[in-house]
Amino acid sequence: MIRLSKLARNLTPEIAFTVLAQARALKSRGKDVVELEIGDSPFATTPNAKEAGVRAIEDNQTGYGPSLGLPSFREAAARFVSTEFGYAATAENIVVASGAKPFEQYFAEALIDPGDGVLLFSPHFPTYIPNLERRGARAVLAPLRVEQSFRPQAEDVRKFLATDPRPRAIFLNSPHNPTGGVATHEDLAAIADVVRGTDTMVFSDEPYCHMVWSGRHDSILAQPGMFDHCVAAYTFSKSYSMSGWRMGFAVAHPDVVAAIGKLINTAVSCSPPFVQEAARAALEHDAATRDEYMERFRKKVDRLCDGLEKVEGVGVVRPAGTFYVFPDVRPICNRLGIVSHGLAMYLLEGADDGFGVACLGGECFGEAGQGFLRFSCAEPDERIDQAMAFLPDALGRRDRIAKYLEANPQYVLKQPYPEA
């Protein structure tokens, strides 16, 4: 008999990909499904990135490269963050990996010891806790509140540092997945004031840095002295529609960069050079296309919000950033006796035999997300309109809801959600 490790037995996957697989399986059997579950771009990879990647393959840049990344890419990334986000970085501050997500694990392995406490603002990206559990660290949750526009509060950081037996790190995600909240300059300055002078480290997860619909993106690395406290992670998946290329980088103190480089060296060797060449071309030449894509995303977010606001019982706080909308569906869940992820799965599987909408229940992002749904905007506009037109009808089919709950009793709501 195969005996898996305790880690493998207990590891929980990112549910968005589980729902994606179910949606694709239903589509393969002929069901029409509008996919609003996955955070992917519907747009093509930006043109200069695509051309540079093809050219690099044709030039046989397909062998190994340095574990930290190509010097030319690291220099380009340093110029990019210095220009875009207002903090001075050099190539020595840059390390490359396959997207932003791997840096969750590298941060934990480089900077956290078993038993250390790590503050997460919740709802939270679902892979944070598994990557902390790999190190035997403790996740400490602080709620993001809808009445505070889902912004992280310095007081929660202060409380964590004062009360946790071994406070070591904080995970920040702004713009925030799943809520769309955006930390302001004042929020980040207040958090930096609490952190500065301690040995606390911050993982600043910034994949939606160009998806800010009000003002501009701020990074906590731009606060004085935060290079001694912070690893900021960026990806090309969202801004340049390069999710399948698997490309990202982090910015940190050179000592932390060197440590992460050793982890990369011993785990995956390096990132593909031709992908780095594509990413460098994106940074240097594709800003105009990127900004056009971001404007199209902004319009999609508004379209989705407009549609959701017309559905009785749905409360919408328009996101300040990202391409997600995180509506409050607690009144609907309470009325129908169904948990929020059950509601999401009903919309996909049970509401209609020929048509479904794929989204995620807020509890996929921790208990603090209960009673909410997360919709992405990664479909054409007319498909978003179809999904929104379907919701009122689907929510009114009480017989189908009862039948779905009878077949899926795990989705029965045992205690009503507290409503706002």
Side-chain angles (χ1 to χ4, degrees), residues 12 175 229 367:
T12 54
H229 293 276
E367 289 186 10

Side-chain angles (χ1 to χ4, degrees), residues 37-56:
E37 84 284 8
I38 199 72
D40 204 355
S41 172
F43 308 132
T45 293
T46 52
N48 287 287
K50 192 185 299 185
E51 292 171 10
V54 171
R55 188 165 57 249

Side-chain angles (χ1 to χ4, degrees), residues 41 43 207-213 237-241 287-301 323:
S41 172
F43 308 132
Y208 302 93
C209 56
H210 293 108
M211 291 185 179
V212 178
W213 316 132
S237 299
K238 317 303 179 186
S239 299
Y240 302 95
S241 296
T289 303
R290 177 199 73 204
D291 292 346
E292 176 198 340
Y293 285 178
M294 297 306 103
E295 177 61 17
R296 291 165 71 181
F297 270 126
R298 185 189 64 77
K299 291 178 180 178
K300 284 179 176 294
V301 169
F323 56 9

Side-chain angles (χ1 to χ4, degrees), residues 184-194 196 220 223:
T184 66
H185 178 84
E186 292 74 20
D187 295 333
L188 297 174
I191 291 171
D193 286 344
V194 176
R196 202 179 292 111
I220 197 168
Q223 295 295 318

Side-chain angles (χ1 to χ4, degrees), residues 93-275:
N93 298 116
I94 307 295
V95 56
V96 178
S98 56
K101 187 183 289 185
F103 289 112
E104 300 167 24
Q105 181 176 346
Y106 295 143
F107 176 92
E109 290 179 345
L111 296 163
I112 298 171
D113 285 320
D116 284 348
V118 181
L119 181 66
L120 305 182
F121 291 95
S122 191
H124 55 272
F125 190 60
T127 59
Y128 288 166
I129 289 180
N131 279 310
L132 293 176
E133 288 176 342
R134 279 188 166 99
R135 283 295 291 153
R138 293 176 294 104
V140 180
L141 303 181
L144 293 169
R145 297 175 175 85
V146 64
E147 59 269 20
Q148 294 168 330
S149 302
F150 298 115
R151 289 163 34 214
Q153 302 296 304
E155 185 53 39
D156 288 322
V157 177
R158 189 175 291 108
K159 179 180 177 182
F160 167 67
L161 296 184
T163 61
D164 192 84
R166 287 177 54 180
R168 175 58 175 149
I170 302 159
F171 274 39
L172 286 178
N173 175 210
S174 178
H176 184 257
N177 178 12
T179 68
V182 174
T184 66
H185 178 84
E186 292 74 20
D187 295 333
L188 297 174
I191 291 171
D193 286 344
V194 176
V195 168
R196 202 179 292 111
T198 73
D199 69 351
T200 307
M201 297 300 296
V202 177
F203 179 70
S204 185
D205 194 14
E206 305 179 27
Y208 302 93
C209 56
H210 293 108
M211 291 185 179
V212 178
W213 316 132
S214 177
R216 284 178 54 87
H217 172 67
D218 272 291
S219 173
I220 197 168
L221 257 185
Q223 295 295 318
M226 289 306 291
F227 266 90
D228 290 337
H229 293 276
C230 187
V231 175
Y234 301 91
T235 180
F236 290 75
S237 299
K238 317 303 179 186
S239 299
Y240 302 95
S241 296
M242 294 178 68
S243 58
W245 295 76
R246 304 313 306 137
M247 180 63 187
F249 65 93
V251 187
H253 189 283
D255 291 349
V256 176
V257 165
I260 292 175
K262 288 190 288 186
L263 295 169
I264 291 170
N265 176 282
T266 55
V268 295
S269 298
C270 63
S271 295
F274 62 89
V275 177

